[in-house]
Amino acid sequence: MKTLTFEITIHAPRSQVWTAMLGAEGYKAWTAAFCEGSHYVGSWEQGARIRFLAPSGGGMSAVIAENRLHEFVSIRHLGIIENGVEDTSSEKVRAWTPAYENYRFADVPGGCLVTVTLDTAAEWEPYMLDTYPKALALLKALCER
């Protein structure tokens, strides 16, 4: 596993960026860079289960490890969902779980600095390096409209 870091400054208040990133409609907008129609089912509350899904029904299963309003969210990925079936215990899944995806929100002059750190397996690194900046650019455009 490798930890990747991405940052973007968004010219909008931190609370607005938080809402756009984690609210259902905003989440669909910025995660379209990964998969058009991406969405989540569940809650961002600390300790809550959450599923990140593609329109096909596949995706990721996780729990919100930590949530500090307008400041920090930590997602602990626990498994995958294939054909609507959650897998948290196969050898394939145990090879990379738990994996964390963390969002930090900090006030900076003129707006908010969003820092994303995520654990990724080697085979997904090129995809994440290519796609995450595009996703954050969509978030920025959404917030700065």
Side-chain angles (χ1 to χ4, degrees):
M1 289 288 253
K2 185 170 185 180
T3 301
L4 304 178
T5 301
F6 303 95
E7 289 188 337
I8 192 164
T9 298
I10 299 174
H11 301 289
R14 186 167 34 145
S15 61
Q16 179 184 338
V17 175
W18 171 280
T19 299
M21 192 168 198
L22 305 181
E25 291 308 309
Y27 181 86
K28 287 178 186 177
W30 75 269
T31 60
F34 298 103
C35 176
E36 193 70 39
S38 292
H39 60 285
Y40 65 84
V41 175
S43 168
W44 292 98
E45 291 180 35
Q46 188 166 315
R49 293 290 293 219
I50 191 166
R51 289 175 157 208
F52 301 99
L53 301 167
S56 66
M60 307 285 291
S61 173
V63 67
I64 303 304
E66 190 172 345
N67 181 327
R68 295 191 310 266
L69 184 64
H70 301 156
E71 184 181 331
F72 179 75
V73 172
S74 179
I75 304 162
R76 184 171 62 239
H77 292 284
L78 302 174
I80 59 174
I81 301 164
E82 293 178 324
N83 301 315
V85 178
E86 186 174 355
D87 173 8
T88 59
S89 61
S90 71
E91 189 174 318
K92 175 171 89 171
V93 169
R94 287 193 322 264
W96 61 268
T97 58
Y100 287 84
E101 184 172 351
N102 299 315
Y103 307 152
R104 292 184 189 282
F105 304 81
D107 290 328
V108 294
C112 174
L113 174 66
V114 177
T115 304
V116 178
T117 57
L118 63 111
D119 299 331
T120 189
E123 70 253 27
W124 287 97
E125 184 178 351
Y127 176 77
M128 290 299 180
L129 289 171
D130 179 60
T131 309
Y132 231 106
K134 294 173 185 174
L136 291 177
L138 289 172
L139 177 66
K140 179 179 176 78
L142 178 67
C143 293
E144 292 180 357
R145 282 194 237 164

